[in-house]
Amino acid sequence: MLVKVAWRLFWRELRNGELWVIGFALVLAVLTVVSLSGITDSVRSALMQRSANFTAADKVLRSSAPFQQEIFSKATELGLQSARQLQFNTMVFAGETMQLVNVKAVSAEYPLRGLLQLETPAGIVNRLSAGHIYLEARLAQILNVRSGDWLDVGAARLPVGGLIIEEPDAPLNLFGGQPRLLMHIDDVAATEVIQPGSRISYRYMFAGSDNALQALTKATEAALSPNDRWQQLDRQSAVGSALDRAEQFLLLAGLLGIVLAAAAAAVAANRYSQRHQMAVAVIKALGVTSAQARRIYFSHLLFVTVAASLLGLLLGLAANWAVQGLLGRWIEGYQAIFSMKAAWLGIATALICSLLFSLRPVWRLTAVPAIQVLRQQQRQWQLDHWQLLSGSVAVLTLMWLFSGDLWLSGMLFLACAGFGLCLLGFAALLVRVAKPMAAGQSSALKLALANLRRRLWQNSFQLMTFSLALFLTLVLYFLRAELLEQWKQQVPQDAPNQFLVNMTAPESAAIGAQLRDAGLSPGLFYPMISGRVLAVNGETLQEPEQEDGAVARNQTQAKTAGEKTEPPEPAKRQGFGRELNLTWLTDLPANNQLTAGHWFSGTAEVSVEQQQAERLALKLGDSLSFAIGGQTFEAKVTSFRKVDWNSLQPNFFMILSPDLMAAFPATYLTAFHLPKDQQPFLTALLKQYPTVSVISVDAILQQVTQIIDQVSLALTLILVLVFTAAVLVLVAQVQATVEQREQELAILRTLGARGRFLQQAVLFEFAALGLLAGVFATLLAEVLLAVVQQRLFQLPFALHYSLWGLGPAAGVALLTLLGTLLLRGILKPTPASLIRRALHS
Amino acid sequence: MSVTPELFIQTRQLCKQVSLPGNTLNILTDINLTINRGDSVAIVGASGSGKSTLLGLLAGLDVPSSGEIVLAGQRIDHLSDDARAALRARSVGFVFQSFLLLPALTALENVTLPAELAGQTQALERGKQLLELVGLDARMHFFPAQLSGGEQQRVAIARAFITQPAILFADEPSANLDSATGRKVEDLLFELNQSQGTTLVLVTHNPQLAARCQRQFQMDAGRLVEAVRHTQERSYAG
């Protein structure tokens, strides 16, 4: 019977609004958590999958030691696919012609991700076969060989099987390097190249689920030496950095959205409980015990929580599904991921919001004594310390749950609490001084200001929540716009997508002229040469143990490709262990910024990239010894530079003064943007200069653009969610005053106040509240934007002039609209019906 | 304390105090009262004299600061909230000044609510009969907001009788109604009380309503004095 009564009351109560607000707030919170968690996971997975295409595997372990079979066995045991790869440099001979090449020897499973395309006499094939070698087109040109010709590789003589058209993990060799040769790993033994002491890079390649890959990483920890490195996504790359910022933004926005939604649920639960005091007293007078009353009203909360969780979960999963669909359309071979983590987080959020925000008001409700039926007036509930405590615990728990970072959560919580208290104080002060402002105003305005002052505590609290809701929406709106703008600046429409390398000085001049004639804008032509840093102030640098030159070179090359290997632990004065690409320039490049010292003013000077300077513990005035070929020279460190690695422009660790390099032969490098329709021009240019190589980074740019599009979509979604949560708080707050306003309006109407007069008074009251809330929100938003921009996102601060117009205007418009809409029901009726309704409320 | 069989309500040395900052307010002082089964009793007095407080204590809605209360043969002053709730569900009906119908329920649902909460079967049938008895069978599916004040109080009276209580407590049952409607509601209350054989305790300002009861008590500054006692049953028609 009790269940029947509870169920009937629940359905009837749905008409009264508060349960909808609680439910909608919970749906929003769950939707925010599930969709955000899912979208960030999807974007991360998409990025990883794209990166995997560039590394031919999901995860690669690089080692200088021979393969350990146990690691492959463990991978098989974990259900992972695996492949082997060796890289080494050796000489190849085609008759009398010889060339130093970089050999990549792979097992039959290669590649595990991405596409291998080999042009053979039989057509394009995607797998290489043992007994053949495949050459980079440049190498075939240098050696003047074709398919079917025989080459000597070490001790082995092998036929050319074809040319490499596309190789997923081909290095973006901006700086020339050795031409490449691909062969089957089974043929390596016959070459007899691998001898004790040979510099070989061994690569374990794996593909499979994240969990299995993580398990493999953990399982192999003990078996790896300090020189074995797992290849990881570079967090400093343009893509990694964009994703990091997006994650931080989404995390922040998501947290705020959830807190707003939870606040709306709390306000609605309070109103629900406040309105039902008499109903509880009545049923208790009729013989219902406190436990039974709890069962009835908690069941309402339970129904709402369960229904809202399910709906939020479904909507969140639908949003994830839509995002996965978009990713699948954008990324070829994209494998959709659906993690249960998002669903569990969503359910946990609903439970925390429901239990810690709404349980306390409902508990207080069921504790209303039966004797209340004999009291004519309902008790106005004061702020309950337990509710404040449980709400605070809920906010903190949600922040922790969502961010996984207790310190960040604690700081954010304290900041929010501080903001709230300041706002409350300011609001109380302002509302208090509103009385003198009413003097000399029209009577409707006077009444509005009197109302504000009379409901001082209530209005101060409302003003605080209105301001916070507006403030969060404004902050997110402006941060979103700024982030997107910054990303777009990083990857502008005309970002360089082609790199020309291996140009001689005369070629660079001629090519530069042709590019300009074709309407293209090449950047600087950087002279370039490979050299080593030998010593600092005469102290010889310690050479780190390393795999081989090819691997080390790849680390530099990968800087632009968006991936790198983790650097070894820094040791004192440890050298690079490889040759560096050195350049010399008269002027400081545009995307470089001096952090110390001065640009070249004399001779024999060097400018060092800041992080490398720190790594080598350099000071201004130190002397660096360089070796190029067989020649050595000294240069004095006169400046340190900060380099924008996200700029997609060629960057250098060491820039030398031009006087030092005059005697050395150099090749040139430049970058430029090539529109798609001008591809034929580039083909013709390369035919004209066969020794010049072109590296296209279109695919990377496309990846960055797609990620930005994806993140932009997520940002818009989260902004909409936060705005909706903010509106929900406003609705809940206005709803909470309906009964009190109804009674006051009934009295005023009875005393003869005209409907239009009362409508104007309410309009003024909400406009005044909106204006105050808008000004507070704008002020706080400007302060927080400055802090977040500079500390969290490392963006430069600039005053937001449009914010100062938008904030107050949005406050007035939104609150006036909401107030008028939500109160229209009590502003229009006749005095008689108002009085009747006031009696029933 | 021994209870005489015909006694239905008995209090001894009943006191109610409320602690205020700095002092203690005595709302009821040494109330000694006996009410027999089937009696109709009016408690009259000025506003703030303690009438409603006494009603709350007699009905088991509240507990006294000291003294004893016996209701329907059971001492209730030391009972727990739940035990008093169970006693109310079994034996007590209420009619309130401001009706106190649940706005989310229809007239019929309001009437059947106490019976449903008590787990009684046949609640629906009896609810319909009672609404017919109070003349609202045509409006049984109306919500309170769709009914006039008089109609709402008639629904409240029907609700009070649905569990066939042994005693009915009424707090200013006609105070919120115009005199004609109030009169009709009072008639209905007394008619049902008589036909159901219920003991009636009502609190009122209205001397005419009080005069229709067999016994009248005057509350003055927290003390109770019996003002009128009719040995014979009063005419419920007034």
Side-chain angles (χ1 to χ4, degrees):
Chain A
M1 278 295 189
L2 202 65
V3 174
K4 192 176 155 192
V5 171
W7 187 245
R8 185 189 297 150
L9 282 171
F10 173 72
W11 279 113
R12 297 291 165 73
E13 284 304 332
L14 282 181
R15 294 184 314 169
N16 286 317
E18 299 98 344
L19 288 178
W20 281 111
V21 174
I22 297 174
F24 194 37
L26 292 179
V27 168
L28 263 186
V30 176
L31 172 63
T32 305
V33 171
V34 176
S35 60
L36 266 190
S37 177
I39 288 170
T40 48
D41 281 355
S42 306
V43 174
R44 174 154 296 286
S45 167
L47 178 63
M48 292 302 179
Q49 288 181 31
R50 286 295 298 240
S51 290
N53 286 348
F54 286 110
T55 53
D58 287 338
K59 206 156 188 182
V60 175
L61 174 65
R62 295 179 170 189
S63 176
S64 54
F67 289 123
Q68 299 180 52
Q69 182 52 43
E70 310 84 72
I71 294 179
F72 288 109
S73 304
K74 186 68 192 172
T76 310
E77 195 183 303
L78 290 166
L80 292 167
Q81 293 174 269
S82 54
R84 299 166 189 234
Q85 186 184 127
L86 292 177
Q87 285 200 23
F88 54 89
N89 288 343
T90 190
M91 298 297 288
V92 293
F93 297 84
E96 296 302 308
T97 317
M98 61 179 179
Q99 174 65 39
L100 179 66
V101 297
N102 176 232
V103 176
K104 183 160 84 177
V106 296
S107 60
E109 300 84 7
Y110 173 89
L112 298 176
R113 294 280 183 254
L115 186 68
L116 173 70
Q117 283 193 310
L118 302 171
E119 187 184 12
T120 68
I124 303 290
V125 297
N126 304 116
R127 296 275 166 190
L128 80 173
S129 48
H132 288 85
I133 53 176
Y134 301 85
L135 311 180
E136 187 184 343
R138 181 160 63 112
L139 180 59
Q141 199 171 34
I142 293 167
L143 297 173
N144 194 25
V145 292
R146 289 182 301 176
S147 294
D149 291 344
W150 291 78
L151 291 186
D152 293 320
V153 184
R157 191 172 174 76
L158 294 162
V160 176
L163 297 179
I164 304 167
I165 305 291
E166 192 174 335
E167 184 189 1
D169 55 344
L172 283 165
N173 196 345
L174 302 187
F175 312 109
Q178 318 301 346
R180 299 173 63 74
L181 182 152
L182 186 65
M183 65 189 291
H184 198 284
I185 203 164
D186 292 349
D187 297 330
V188 173
T191 66
E192 297 177 14
V193 170
I194 301 180
Q195 301 292 335
S198 299
R199 283 193 163 183
I200 311 289
S201 169
Y202 295 84
R203 299 183 183 197
Y204 301 72
M205 309 175 82
F206 302 105
S209 70
D210 282 350
N211 287 344
L213 289 167
Q214 276 174 17
L216 180 70
T217 312
K218 202 167 179 187
T220 54
E221 262 171 15
L224 302 186
S225 77
N227 287 319
D228 299 334
R229 301 166 207 158
W230 287 102
Q231 193 169 314
Q232 291 190 336
L233 180 73
D234 181 4
R235 308 299 291 185
Q236 279 191 325
S237 71
V239 177
S241 167
L243 195 72
D244 270 355
R245 287 182 185 182
E247 273 187 353
Q248 283 174 324
F249 182 86
L250 290 174
L251 177 72
L252 186 70
L255 280 175
L256 300 177
I258 292 167
V259 170
L260 275 180
V267 172
N270 253 340
R271 186 199 179 212
Y272 177 78
S273 300
Q274 180 90 37
R275 272 199 340 109
H276 286 79
Q277 286 181 75
M278 200 50 88
V280 169
V282 168
I283 61 169
K284 280 191 170 181
L286 297 177
V288 165
T289 63
S290 291
Q292 288 173 323
R294 273 197 290 275
R295 254 178 271 158
I296 291 174
Y297 285 93
F298 284 155
S299 69
H300 292 184
L301 197 59
L302 185 70
F303 290 148
V304 172
T305 305
V306 170
S309 302
L310 286 176
L311 187 60
L313 211 57
L314 285 175
L315 290 173
L317 291 176
N320 281 354
W321 180 78
V323 168
Q324 306 265 5
L326 284 175
L327 286 171
R329 206 185 304 165
W330 288 344
I331 299 172
E332 199 180 331
Y334 173 73
Q335 293 173 315
I337 57 149
F338 286 102
S339 122
M340 282 305 290
K341 186 185 129 203
W344 286 120
L345 268 180
I347 291 169
T349 303
L351 284 177
I352 290 169
C353 284
S354 172
L355 289 178
L356 293 178
F357 281 100
S358 310
L359 198 63
R360 177 62 190 162
V362 179
W363 181 275
R364 287 180 79 189
L365 169 67
T366 57
V368 168
I371 190 69
Q372 184 97 357
V373 289
L374 297 177
R375 293 170 187 153
Q376 290 303 304
Q377 288 209 323
Q378 295 193 18
R379 282 188 302 180
Q380 285 296 315
W381 283 356
Q382 300 301 312
L383 189 66
D384 178 35
H385 297 300
W386 283 109
Q387 196 182 353
L388 201 63
L389 184 69
S390 65
S392 302
V393 170
V395 170
L396 194 60
T397 312
L398 284 172
M399 287 176 168
W400 187 19
L401 185 72
F402 207 46
S403 68
D405 184 338
L406 187 58
W407 190 86
L408 174 75
S409 307
M411 289 296 107
L412 200 60
F413 174 77
L414 286 177
C416 284
F419 273 159
L421 285 175
C422 286
L423 271 175
L424 201 60
F426 271 124
L429 191 70
L430 267 177
V431 172
R432 202 175 278 275
V433 299
K435 192 182 180 185
M437 287 164 62
Q441 303 295 334
S442 74
S443 45
L445 183 58
K446 216 182 265 184
L447 180 61
L449 293 174
N451 278 341
L452 281 177
R453 193 167 177 277
R454 194 157 34 79
R455 285 192 286 268
L456 176 68
W457 168 249
Q458 204 177 5
N459 280 329
S460 300
F461 190 70
Q462 274 189 20
L463 195 52
M464 181 187 81
T465 45
F466 290 167
S467 303
L468 277 176
L470 278 172
F471 152 70
L472 295 178
T473 311
L474 288 171
V475 165
L476 291 186
Y477 176 76
F478 277 87
L479 274 183
R480 172 187 168 275
E482 280 178 14
L483 274 175
L484 290 180
E485 184 56 33
Q486 216 214 15
W487 291 339
K488 278 180 187 163
Q489 278 174 9
Q490 271 182 15
V491 191
Q493 290 291 316
D494 56 352
N497 58 357
Q498 311 292 332
F499 288 78
L500 291 179
V501 296
N502 271 344
M503 292 177 281
T504 61
E507 281 174 341
S508 68
I511 289 172
Q514 286 191 39
L515 287 173
R516 281 186 285 274
D517 287 348
L520 302 171
S521 308
L524 268 179
F525 280 75
Y526 291 89
M528 207 173 59
I529 196 162
S530 295
R532 283 180 180 269
V533 181
L534 297 177
V536 177
N537 297 330
E539 175 199 338
T540 307
L541 293 176
Q542 184 189 337
E543 288 296 297
E545 268 191 60
Q546 52 137 18
E547 306 148 35
D548 72 359
V551 174
R553 192 160 40 248
N554 282 344
Q555 289 178 10
T556 310
Q557 291 152 355
K559 271 287 181 191
T560 316
E563 47 110 348
K564 73 170 185 185
T565 54
E566 281 185 289
E569 285 298 312
K572 196 183 173 189
R573 301 283 196 201
Q574 194 169 43
F576 294 92
R578 59 184 170 87
E579 290 191 323
L580 295 180
N581 291 293
L582 307 172
T583 192
W584 54 100
L585 298 169
T586 312
D587 299 314
L588 180 69
N591 52 320
N592 285 229
Q593 189 189 344
L594 286 188
T595 55
H598 57 83
W599 190 242
F600 305 142
S601 57
T603 55
E605 295 181 20
V606 60
S607 175
V608 185
E609 191 270 334
Q610 190 175 268
Q611 285 184 337
Q612 295 309 315
E614 284 167 14
R615 197 174 78 79
L616 292 172
L618 296 179
K619 299 186 299 293
L620 290 173
D622 281 349
S623 175
L624 292 185
S625 305
F626 290 89
I628 297 177
Q631 298 182 51
T632 60
F633 61 87
E634 299 272 322
K636 187 176 158 190
V637 178
T638 54
S639 64
F640 297 136
R641 281 170 299 119
K642 188 177 171 185
V643 173
D644 181 5
W645 293 106
N646 295 339
S647 65
L648 297 170
Q649 294 282 354
N651 285 310
F652 295 85
F653 289 152
M654 304 278 174
I655 301 178
L656 295 152
S657 58
D659 60 287
L660 284 170
M661 311 304 293
F664 292 101
T667 59
Y668 283 77
L669 156 76
T670 193
F672 63 98
H673 177 77
L674 180 77
K676 272 195 174 160
D677 57 355
Q678 284 190 273
Q679 191 62 42
F681 163 78
L682 185 62
T683 312
L685 188 77
L686 291 175
K687 273 187 183 164
Q688 197 181 340
Y689 301 98
T691 56
V692 173
S693 296
V694 64
I695 309 293
S696 172
V697 291
D698 249 347
I700 295 167
L701 286 179
Q702 201 188 348
Q703 181 191 21
V704 175
T705 311
Q706 282 172 358
I707 296 289
I708 288 175
D709 285 348
Q710 190 65 36
V711 169
S712 160
L713 186 75
L715 292 181
T716 309
L717 175 74
I718 197 68
L719 182 66
V720 170
L721 285 175
V722 169
F723 179 71
T724 313
V727 169
L728 205 59
V729 174
L730 303 186
V731 168
Q733 282 282 27
V734 177
Q735 271 192 343
T737 66
V738 166
E739 281 81 26
Q740 199 183 351
R741 285 175 188 281
E742 208 164 36
Q743 288 180 348
E744 288 168 5
L745 286 172
I747 294 166
L748 288 167
R749 290 298 297 266
T750 312
L751 294 175
R754 284 182 310 154
R756 188 167 173 72
F757 169 80
L758 294 175
Q759 281 173 20
Q760 276 180 352
V762 168
L763 205 70
F764 284 144
E765 188 182 335
F766 278 97
L769 267 176
L771 183 67
L772 285 176
V775 171
F776 280 151
T778 302
L779 192 69
L780 285 177
E782 192 68 276
V783 172
L784 192 73
L785 278 173
V787 175
V788 172
Q789 277 179 324
Q790 292 184 319
R791 296 294 165 94
L792 196 56
F793 299 142
Q794 284 88 44
L795 299 176
F797 171 71
L799 204 64
H800 305 83
Y801 297 108
S802 54
L803 173 66
W804 289 91
L806 183 67
V812 171
L814 200 61
L815 278 189
T816 312
L817 184 71
L818 277 177
T820 319
L821 278 177
L822 291 169
L823 298 179
R824 71 185 189 286
I826 60 169
L827 286 170
K828 285 191 176 165
T830 59
S833 59
L834 250 183
I835 291 163
R836 186 183 298 171
R837 282 168 52 168
L839 282 171
H840 279 292
S841 61
Chain B
M1 185 170 72
S2 63
V3 177
T4 316
E6 64 269 31
L7 287 183
F8 197 66
I9 298 175
Q10 187 171 28
T11 67
R12 181 171 290 176
Q13 303 297 314
L14 192 64
C15 293
K16 181 71 181 176
Q17 296 169 330
V18 177
S19 294
L20 297 173
N23 70 328
T24 304
L25 184 67
N26 291 313
I27 299 175
L28 298 178
T29 311
D30 295 335
I31 305 288
N32 295 299
L33 169 72
T34 54
I35 298 172
N36 292 329
R37 186 183 293 275
D39 273 0
S40 60
V41 174
I43 301 169
V44 294
S47 293
S49 60
K51 307 186 294 291
S52 294
T53 305
L54 179 59
L55 185 80
L57 290 175
L58 296 179
L61 295 173
D62 200 0
V63 286
S65 303
S66 62
E68 296 171 0
I69 310 170
V70 173
L71 176 67
Q74 189 176 358
R75 244 186 95 171
I76 63 166
D77 50 271
H78 63 285
L79 287 183
S80 67
D81 276 355
D82 286 356
R84 282 184 283 120
L87 180 69
R88 287 196 301 271
R90 268 198 319 272
S91 312
V92 179
F94 287 101
V95 176
F96 305 107
Q97 178 181 346
S98 48
F99 328 136
L100 296 185
L101 301 177
L102 299 194
L105 301 181
T106 63
L108 180 59
E109 287 164 349
N110 264 293
V111 171
T112 58
L113 181 67
E116 285 179 337
L117 290 172
Q120 292 179 6
T121 52
Q122 314 270 318
L124 195 66
E125 277 312 304
R126 183 156 167 76
K128 284 177 181 173
Q129 283 171 9
L130 280 167
L131 279 173
E132 199 178 333
L133 213 59
V134 298
L136 286 173
D137 47 328
R139 300 198 161 207
M140 62 175 71
H141 299 300
F142 281 40
F143 287 96
Q146 296 167 309
L147 300 172
S148 69
E151 287 170 335
Q152 287 185 53
Q153 194 62 304
R154 279 147 69 190
V155 173
I157 291 170
R159 177 179 69 182
F161 284 99
I162 184 88
T163 52
Q164 297 175 293
I167 182 162
L168 181 72
F169 291 97
D171 180 28
E172 303 278 13
S174 53
N176 275 0
L177 303 169
D178 62 77
S179 57
T181 310
R183 184 90 181 160
K184 284 180 190 166
V185 165
E186 288 162 11
D187 289 347
L188 182 64
L189 186 63
F190 281 101
E191 280 166 22
L192 275 170
N193 189 47
Q194 189 179 37
S195 65
Q196 307 283 322
T198 314
T199 305
L200 173 67
V201 177
L202 66 84
V203 161
T204 183
H205 277 105
N206 183 346
Q208 286 165 323
L209 174 60
R212 294 175 71 172
C213 295
Q214 290 167 315
R215 299 169 68 191
Q216 291 176 43
F217 288 89
Q218 179 77 38
M219 280 294 294
D220 187 15
R223 292 184 182 276
L224 188 72
V225 180
E226 183 158 9
V228 179
R229 185 168 191 150
H230 300 283
T231 48
Q232 289 179 350
E233 199 156 290
R234 303 287 293 163
S235 161
Y236 288 118

